[in-house]
Amino acid sequence: MPVSTKPPTGTRDFLPEAMAHRREVIRVIEEVYQRYGFEPLETPAIENLSTLLGKYGEEGDQLIFRLLHRGDKLGRLLTREGGEPLAEKDLGDLGLRYDLTVPLARVVAEYQAQLPRFFRRYQIQPVWRADRPGRGRFREFYQCDVDIVGSASMAVEVELLSAVCEVFDRLGFENVRVRINHRELLKALVLSAGISLVRESEALVALDKLDKLGAEGVLAELVERGFGSDSTEALKPFLDGEIRSGGAEVLERLATRLGEDVHASKGIGDLRQILELSAGTPAAGRLVVDPVLARGLSYYTGPIFEVTVADLSGSLAGGGRYDELVGMFLGKTLPACGIALGLERILVVMSDRGMFASSSNSPEALVTCFGEEMLSDGLSLASELRAQGMKVETYPEPAKLGKQLKYASDRSIPMALILGPAEIERGVVLCKELATGVQHQLPRPGLAAAIRSLGRVP
Amino acid sequence: MPVSTKPPTGTRDFLPEAMAHRREVIRVIEEVYQRYGFEPLETPAIENLSTLLGKYGEEGDQLIFRLLHRGDKLGRLLTREGGEPLAEKDLGDLGLRYDLTVPLARVVAEYQAQLPRFFRRYQIQPVWRADRPGRGRFREFYQCDVDIVGSASMAVEVELLSAVCEVFDRLGFENVRVRINHRELLKALVLSAGISLVRESEALVALDKLDKLGAEGVLAELVERGFGSDSTEALKPFLDGEIRSGGAEVLERLATRLGEDVHASKGIGDLRQILELSAGTPAAGRLVVDPVLARGLSYYTGPIFEVTVADLSGSLAGGGRYDELVGMFLGKTLPACGIALGLERILVVMSDRGMFASSSNSPEALVTCFGEEMLSDGLSLASELRAQGMKVETYPEPAKLGKQLKYASDRSIPMALILGPAEIERGVVLCKELATGVQHQLPRPGLAAAIRSLGRVP
């Protein structure tokens, strides 16, 4: 029976063209993040289960890939007699990284003394989830997190939002906007509608569906969940757009509506500061206060964000402040704020929209093989051009010229170089543009510059 | 009991400084490889066990990390009654990538139609081995492979060797040399000593220890393994250096000694061609024929190589031609040749030798926080400088200036920028060199260029 050569369900091979796109996006992200003083971190794919378990809820724990014990240890387990039946927990104590936040928390605890007081790190690595694979949902996929640990100042939020706006600008997205809200503001909203904080998360689940269901749908869902008409009436104005789009003026309207509530004051104060501090940054004019933006994750403690772009429903990035999470292994509160880019989704959207330059990985020229006895000259020519900074591939064996030119075309290489005894004698190289068939006889010294000046290579 | 926050045994966290070094080395490698027309490939960390098992020998199979089945499937296994006892193979069908060659073979089989006839790929990704960890031996470590699949021409060997020589040159290594040999030449050598091919690998194990044991030691080991004095006498000349260092002249001496043997002719012919074809490339003058270089791996079928550098025992890269391996899933021979860089060892050696520029990841400047009310101005200044291409970090909250300057020093940031109301009014920024304490009052327009012209930022 032949072995399947497909990658396992939910995983992918990235062939050179896909890699070119992934690299391009990651290059832009890293360039921007580094200009903001963020530094790269990498952690191992393998973590102790004691690190991972209990951090992602019961459902998350189920999705962790566990590694099986090996050798004698496993042997003893499988052959042991009597006693309790074997359980999952007996069979291994290692698992694959499920996200990049728990590893960050572990790193912050382990290397406290070495890390700067404000730890600005980004991390772009795969994570693994034993999820049922589906369209756009993988078992191995990249996450791309940027965080600042160590300060409660809203300057942190502004730095992160500026960097992320710049990333999307540079990737070529238009109309980049960040919806911002605040956990405390959501609390105030819920309280103002006469809903007790015990039922807050239930109410937020409904509010969070505004994009999908519209105001009527959300109100219907609230009723269905047993919230009274007093509550739904009180929430109505926050859903209908009157109060939703805009910056500082929305905050004023919210302040008027929610009054002196302590949660409202904190939320409005933080968001007002974010708007003020971002005035001279790339985030300026991009921030839209949205008082019903909830985001699913319960670990946020302050501002929350979601990045949207023109003509796309849903978001391409999201995050917020989560002061209680990164200190989990230290047993203390550690202020932290971060944004995760939806790297896999960004790649899909950019690809669908043709936002990538094509074949950016292809060599600029193919040195053809004129014949066995000219192979050495061809390799020398390639070396010369590479020394001049050109990306050059060589055809490694004799073949009909037509076949070699077709090879170049198929590889999206724009230029084929031909070097026979006649060219050697005259100190020239024949350069054939593959798109047009036009040939140029160019002198060998300074050849790379001459080829590039033809304007055919990228 | 507090959870350990160390990474699991045999794995590592890469903090920013270590990352800077890793990135720098990988950047050089990729830059060179891309100029040679090599393209990146990435495959998933998770592979089907059916892909992995049986490819690395029995010992290798034991070192594969296996993933445990999950959920209902595992539950049914653990609670089943009677029948055969559970075996390792029942508990999972996925494993972690053990090397980059088997995935390459899988990719070549799966995407035949999409891949170019000559597939030049490089792949730099972690692999996992459940080995006993030790000094410089990890359970999760990067491999860095470059291969050309699809041609039996020696031009392939030359392209690979040129690229690798250039990589080591650019990394700053001196006296980069490549020891080359050929599987067929080893066969001829063994046969010429009256050893049957059945015992070839046993003889090669001894020869391969020449570096460690010296000629006397190797001869002693051969005797110990029961090889007769006829054989050891015949092998002696190949061990004592007479025939070992040099290029084409060594091949002549070997041709004389080994005569018309068919294996010798093939080996000498290929190596001669490699020397000739490399004349105009970065590999020229670097290739040293070593007729007892054996390399452990039995899958090589043609030339084999090992890269050495000045003052270092052992090699930093190795490879060869292995025409029978990459076609394993296609069920046919597919010519292929590759070289693996010892990435982890390269990093250790470069670090030990101080070959890295220090703190290359650090920001160029820290914008200090003059006070709560100046925070916004500081963030604007940072945005301006970043737009001018500078790497800038901001101190996110008010603090004594001394504390902020210390923070910058600790972070190896060379320049602190101070912006108070007085500076705002005069349109200047106070720039303090942290190494010397010297302050410069610089006009705000064109500030990045002015700072850089001070020559203090890298």
Side-chain angles (χ1 to χ4, degrees):
Chain A
M1 188 185 67
V3 164
S4 163
T5 53
K6 290 200 194 329
T9 317
T11 71
R12 292 163 293 170
D13 294 313
F14 299 115
L15 300 190
E17 203 194 355
M19 280 300 292
H21 295 170
R22 298 181 78 81
R23 293 288 178 92
E24 176 58 18
V25 170
I26 289 173
R27 189 187 60 75
V28 169
I29 293 168
E30 295 201 305
E31 224 174 84
V32 172
Y33 284 175
Q34 290 187 0
R35 260 187 309 103
Y36 279 75
F38 292 103
E39 296 182 304
L41 173 73
E42 280 189 13
T43 61
I46 298 176
E47 291 279 0
N48 290 313
L49 282 179
S50 57
T51 303
L52 299 176
L53 291 175
K55 309 303 187 299
Y56 307 108
E58 209 170 306
E59 205 183 325
D61 282 356
Q62 300 294 328
L63 299 182
I64 292 170
F65 277 108
R66 294 165 178 238
L67 302 180
L68 189 60
H69 278 317
R70 292 153 307 280
D72 295 349
K73 194 161 193 175
L74 181 68
R76 280 196 303 274
L77 277 171
L78 294 181
T79 55
R80 74 177 185 183
E81 304 268 329
E84 288 286 300
L86 276 179
E88 190 177 33
K89 67 176 170 41
D90 302 323
L91 291 167
D93 48 21
L94 297 171
L96 295 182
R97 181 172 56 216
Y98 180 88
D99 73 357
L100 305 177
T101 304
V102 167
L104 171 63
R106 185 179 58 67
V107 161
V108 165
E110 179 67 21
Y111 309 99
Q112 261 186 105
Q114 293 169 60
L115 297 178
R117 175 160 149 59
F118 308 113
F119 184 37
R120 301 178 164 230
R121 85 92 173 76
Y122 68 87
Q123 188 167 358
I124 305 175
Q125 285 193 285
V127 301
W128 293 268
R129 296 183 183 181
D131 224 332
R132 199 168 294 279
R135 208 185 115 70
R137 199 164 64 238
F138 304 103
R139 295 182 143 189
E140 173 171 341
F141 60 96
Y142 273 73
Q143 285 194 339
C144 174
D145 282 12
V146 63
D147 294 85
I148 302 180
V149 179
S151 173
S153 162
M154 289 299 120
V156 159
E157 271 77 351
V158 171
E159 287 278 79
L160 290 166
L161 293 172
S162 302
V164 169
C165 285
E166 217 177 317
V167 164
F168 283 104
D169 286 345
R170 289 185 167 235
L171 288 176
F173 285 99
E174 285 173 16
N175 235 324
V176 178
R177 292 286 176 274
V178 187
R179 295 159 68 201
I180 61 172
N181 197 13
H182 198 290
R183 286 289 295 148
E184 293 294 307
L185 209 44
L186 283 166
K187 251 183 219 164
L189 195 80
V190 165
L191 288 173
S192 79
I195 297 169
S196 88
L197 285 182
V198 182
R199 298 193 69 193
E200 183 198 12
S201 62
E202 209 183 331
L204 295 187
V205 167
L207 290 180
D208 214 15
K209 295 185 183 164
L210 183 57
D211 271 354
K212 263 188 240 155
L213 305 181
E216 290 307 312
V218 168
L219 292 171
E221 176 156 340
L222 285 167
V223 170
E224 202 176 303
R225 285 173 180 269
F227 291 100
S229 59
D230 287 5
S231 298
T232 54
E233 278 305 311
L235 288 172
K236 224 175 192 170
F238 297 101
L239 297 173
D240 72 358
E242 174 211 338
I243 209 164
R244 291 191 58 225
S245 51
E249 72 284 7
V250 176
L251 292 178
E252 300 321 313
R253 288 200 292 267
L254 285 171
T256 311
R257 265 188 191 278
L258 298 172
E260 292 302 295
D261 177 85
V262 58
H263 301 292
S265 303
K266 168 67 176 154
I268 290 170
D270 281 353
L271 294 182
R272 191 177 282 139
Q273 218 191 341
I274 290 176
L275 292 175
E276 284 167 11
L277 292 177
S278 63
T281 76
R286 274 29 190 323
L287 308 182
V288 181
V289 176
D290 180 348
V292 294
L293 171 71
R295 287 186 63 72
L297 294 162
S298 56
Y299 56 67
Y300 290 117
T301 58
I304 52 180
F305 342 105
E306 265 185 21
V307 179
T308 61
V309 299
D311 306 319
L312 189 78
S313 70
S315 68
L316 289 182
R321 177 167 286 276
Y322 52 108
D323 287 345
E324 305 296 335
L325 199 63
V326 174
M328 64 173 98
F329 297 110
L330 288 168
K332 67 176 185 190
T333 294
L334 195 57
C337 185
I339 300 186
L341 300 186
L343 187 62
E344 304 287 357
R345 179 143 199 246
I346 291 169
L347 282 158
V348 168
V349 172
M350 288 182 67
S351 186
D352 287 352
R353 295 182 173 188
M355 292 166 70
F356 291 111
S358 65
S359 312
S360 47
N361 248 343
S362 290
E364 296 166 277
L366 178 76
V367 174
T368 58
C369 177
F370 196 87
E372 189 77 41
E373 70 292 345
M374 295 297 295
L375 206 41
S376 179
D377 295 282
L379 291 170
S380 299
L381 174 61
S383 294
E384 280 172 40
L385 293 171
R386 288 166 186 155
Q388 293 166 43
M390 252 185 117
K391 276 165 107 173
V392 177
E393 181 170 337
T394 59
Y395 200 90
E397 55 190 45
K400 291 215 170 103
L401 184 62
K403 189 175 172 185
Q404 298 188 49
L405 297 179
K406 181 170 183 312
Y407 176 83
S409 290
D410 291 348
R411 296 264 292 118
S412 308
I413 301 175
M415 193 74 67
L417 309 184
I418 300 161
L419 183 70
E423 285 77 20
I424 293 272
E425 197 171 319
R426 278 175 288 163
V428 298
V429 175
L430 206 57
C431 304
K432 192 180 178 78
E433 296 179 11
L434 285 156
T436 61
V438 175
Q439 297 195 149
H440 310 266
Q441 196 176 277
L442 300 175
R444 194 142 163 190
L447 183 59
I451 291 174
R452 283 179 167 157
S453 73
L454 296 172
R456 292 293 171 182
V457 299
Chain B
M1 188 186 67
V3 164
S4 163
T5 52
K6 289 199 195 328
T9 316
T11 71
R12 293 162 293 170
D13 294 312
F14 299 115
L15 300 190
E17 204 193 354
M19 280 300 292
H21 295 170
R22 299 180 77 81
R23 292 289 177 92
E24 175 57 16
V25 170
I26 290 174
R27 188 187 61 75
V28 169
I29 294 169
E30 295 200 307
E31 221 174 87
V32 172
Y33 284 175
Q34 289 187 1
R35 262 189 306 103
Y36 279 75
F38 293 103
E39 296 182 303
L41 173 72
E42 281 189 14
T43 60
I46 298 176
E47 290 279 0
N48 290 313
L49 283 178
S50 57
T51 303
L52 300 175
L53 291 175
K55 311 302 187 301
Y56 307 107
E58 209 172 306
E59 205 183 324
D61 282 355
Q62 299 294 327
L63 299 183
I64 292 170
F65 276 108
R66 293 165 180 239
L67 302 180
L68 189 60
H69 279 314
R70 292 153 308 279
D72 294 348
K73 194 162 192 175
L74 181 68
R76 280 196 302 275
L77 278 171
L78 294 181
T79 56
R80 75 179 184 180
E81 304 268 330
E84 288 286 299
L86 275 179
E88 190 178 33
K89 67 174 171 41
D90 303 322
L91 291 167
D93 48 21
L94 297 170
L96 295 183
R97 181 171 58 215
Y98 181 89
D99 73 357
L100 304 178
T101 304
V102 167
L104 172 63
R106 185 179 58 68
V107 161
V108 164
E110 179 67 21
Y111 309 98
Q112 261 186 103
Q114 293 169 58
L115 297 177
R117 174 161 151 57
F118 308 113
F119 184 37
R120 299 179 164 229
R121 84 91 172 78
Y122 68 87
Q123 189 168 359
I124 306 176
Q125 286 193 285
V127 302
W128 293 266
R129 295 181 184 183
D131 223 334
R132 198 168 295 277
R135 207 186 115 67
R137 200 166 61 239
F138 303 104
R139 294 182 146 189
E140 173 171 341
F141 60 96
Y142 273 73
Q143 285 195 339
C144 174
D145 282 12
V146 62
D147 293 85
I148 302 180
V149 179
S151 173
S153 163
M154 289 299 118
V156 159
E157 271 78 351
V158 172
E159 288 278 80
L160 290 166
L161 293 171
S162 303
V164 169
C165 285
E166 217 178 316
V167 164
F168 283 103
D169 286 346
R170 289 185 167 236
L171 289 176
F173 285 98
E174 283 173 16
N175 234 325
V176 178
R177 292 286 176 273
V178 186
R179 295 159 70 203
I180 61 172
N181 196 12
H182 199 289
R183 286 288 296 149
E184 292 294 307
L185 209 45
L186 283 166
K187 251 183 219 165
L189 195 81
V190 165
L191 289 172
S192 78
I195 297 169
S196 87
L197 286 183
V198 182
R199 298 192 68 194
E200 183 197 11
S201 62
E202 209 182 330
L204 294 187
V205 168
L207 290 180
D208 214 16
K209 296 184 182 164
L210 184 57
D211 272 355
K212 263 188 238 156
L213 306 180
E216 290 307 310
V218 167
L219 292 171
E221 176 156 340
L222 286 167
V223 170
E224 202 178 301
R225 286 174 181 266
F227 291 100
S229 59
D230 288 4
S231 297
T232 54
E233 280 304 310
L235 288 172
K236 225 173 190 172
F238 297 101
L239 297 173
D240 73 357
E242 174 211 339
I243 211 164
R244 291 192 57 225
S245 51
E249 73 285 6
V250 176
L251 292 177
E252 299 320 313
R253 289 201 290 270
L254 284 170
T256 311
R257 266 189 189 278
L258 298 171
E260 293 302 296
D261 176 86
V262 57
H263 301 293
S265 303
K266 168 68 175 155
I268 291 170
D270 280 355
L271 294 183
R272 192 176 283 139
Q273 218 190 342
I274 290 175
L275 292 175
E276 285 167 10
L277 292 178
S278 63
T281 76
R286 274 31 189 324
L287 308 182
V288 181
V289 176
D290 181 348
V292 294
L293 170 71
R295 288 185 63 72
L297 294 162
S298 56
Y299 57 65
Y300 291 118
T301 59
I304 52 181
F305 342 106
E306 264 184 23
V307 179
T308 61
V309 299
D311 306 320
L312 188 80
S313 70
S315 66
L316 289 182
R321 176 166 287 277
Y322 52 109
D323 286 345
E324 305 295 336
L325 200 63
V326 175
M328 64 172 98
F329 296 110
L330 288 168
K332 66 177 185 190
T333 294
L334 195 58
C337 186
I339 299 185
L341 300 186
L343 188 62
E344 304 287 357
R345 180 143 200 247
I346 291 169
L347 283 158
V348 169
V349 172
M350 289 182 66
S351 185
D352 287 352
R353 295 183 172 186
M355 291 167 71
F356 291 110
S358 66
S359 311
S360 47
N361 249 344
S362 290
E364 295 165 276
L366 178 77
V367 174
T368 59
C369 178
F370 197 86
E372 188 76 40
E373 70 293 347
M374 295 297 295
L375 206 41
S376 178
D377 294 282
L379 292 169
S380 298
L381 174 62
S383 294
E384 278 171 42
L385 293 171
R386 288 166 185 155
Q388 294 166 43
M390 254 185 118
K391 275 165 107 173
V392 177
E393 181 170 337
T394 58
Y395 200 90
E397 56 191 41
K400 290 213 171 103
L401 184 61
K403 188 175 174 186
Q404 298 188 50
L405 297 180
K406 183 170 181 315
Y407 176 83
S409 289
D410 291 348
R411 298 262 295 121
S412 308
I413 301 176
M415 192 74 67
L417 309 185
I418 299 161
L419 184 68
E423 284 77 21
I424 293 273
E425 196 171 319
R426 276 175 291 163
V428 299
V429 175
L430 206 58
C431 304
K432 191 180 180 80
E433 296 181 13
L434 285 156
T436 61
V438 175
Q439 296 195 148
H440 309 266
Q441 197 176 274
L442 300 175
R444 195 143 164 189
L447 183 60
I451 291 173
R452 283 181 165 153
S453 73
L454 296 173
R456 292 291 170 184
V457 298

